[in-house]
Amino acid sequence: YGITVYQSTAADNYTQVGGNFIESIDGAVLGGSAGAGIYVVASGGVEVSNNVIRNCCISTSNETLAPGGIGINGIDTTLVPPNIVGNTISDMAKYHGILVNSSSGGANVIGNTVRPGTDSTCTAIACQNSSNVNIQGNRCDAATTSAIDMILVYASALSISNININGNVCRGGNYSHIDALRAKDIHDFDLLRS
């Protein structure tokens, strides 16, 4: 990992992670589960803002621990949702630019710029098995050859609700700009002006 904000017991800690340059995080350790540029686990009230993150998850081989330029994991409803604001993420070859994973308490993903690498399999912004997520005012740009989702909401292990996708700009790629996939139910899904 580049930077980790980790609580073994979920708690609000109001950590601020801002103004950093993070590049070339490999991810081969922990059985190929690591590699996020910034990884936030069970930590409420966190602000991740104005960071520049490039080329992470290079050797990451699975999605167990929220691989992405920014990975948010395990935010429950007792915590203040993290704010992920104004970050620039680029040149991710695989996995996610920003991933909110297994977080019933959600997160606010606002005003970020995500540019996956050329011929990338990286989803720009993903919300997996998480509720109460606000994805607003982000810019997602991909090479025209990229077969990726720009914004993906996915309910594979449990039902999710209260997902707001509003005012995002998605350009490029040759696949869905905004997609919702489900094996379980998705409730209260708002898609406005994106």
Side-chain angles (χ1 to χ4, degrees), residues 7 9-15 42-46 75-76 78-81:
Q7 299 263 149
T9 303
D12 292 325
N13 63 26
Y14 302 98
T15 300
S43 301
V46 172
I75 305 300
D76 67 35
T78 66
L79 301 176
V80 175

Side-chain angles (χ1 to χ4, degrees), residues 13-194:
N13 63 26
Y14 302 98
T15 300
Q16 295 184 6
V17 179
N20 299 288
F21 180 82
I22 300 164
E23 181 177 33
S24 300
I25 305 300
D26 187 66
V29 298
L30 299 174
S33 296
I38 298 173
Y39 184 46
V40 177
V41 179
S43 301
V46 172
E47 180 176 302
V48 177
S49 61
N50 303 311
N51 298 286
V52 175
I53 302 165
R54 296 185 66 241
N55 192 29
C56 298
C57 302
I58 297 165
S59 297
T60 303
S61 58
N62 65 71
E63 292 199 48
T64 305
L65 300 177
I70 298 172
I72 307 296
N73 202 7
I75 305 300
D76 67 35
T77 56
T78 66
L79 301 176
V80 175
N83 292 314
I84 313 305
V85 181
N87 300 284
T88 300
I89 301 166
S90 64
D91 301 322
M92 296 287 295
K94 56 186 176 178
Y95 296 107
H96 311 284
I98 298 171
L99 172 60
V100 180
N101 186 55
S102 299
S103 295
S104 59
N108 298 303
V109 180
I110 301 171
N112 299 284
T113 300
V114 183
R115 294 183 180 102
T118 303
D119 296 323
S120 172
T121 60
C122 168
T123 298
I125 299 172
C127 168
Q128 291 182 301
N129 300 316
S130 298
S131 294
N132 303 304
V133 177
N134 180 30
I135 301 170
Q136 182 175 346
N138 299 285
R139 181 180 183 102
C140 305
D141 295 317
T144 55
T145 57
S146 298
I148 61 170
D149 290 303
M150 296 291 195
I151 298 174
L152 174 64
V153 175
Y154 187 49
S156 63
L158 55 120
S159 296
I160 62 174
S161 62
N162 299 322
I163 307 298
N164 175 42
I165 299 174
N166 184 5
N168 299 284
V169 175
C170 300
R171 297 184 334 156
N174 59 12
Y175 203 65
S176 302
H177 280 176
I178 299 173
D179 205 354
L181 304 173
R182 66 182 182 90
K184 299 292 184 177
D185 292 330
I186 300 175
H187 301 283
D188 301 320
F189 180 83
D190 295 320
L191 176 60
L192 304 168
R193 297 186 318 256
S194 285

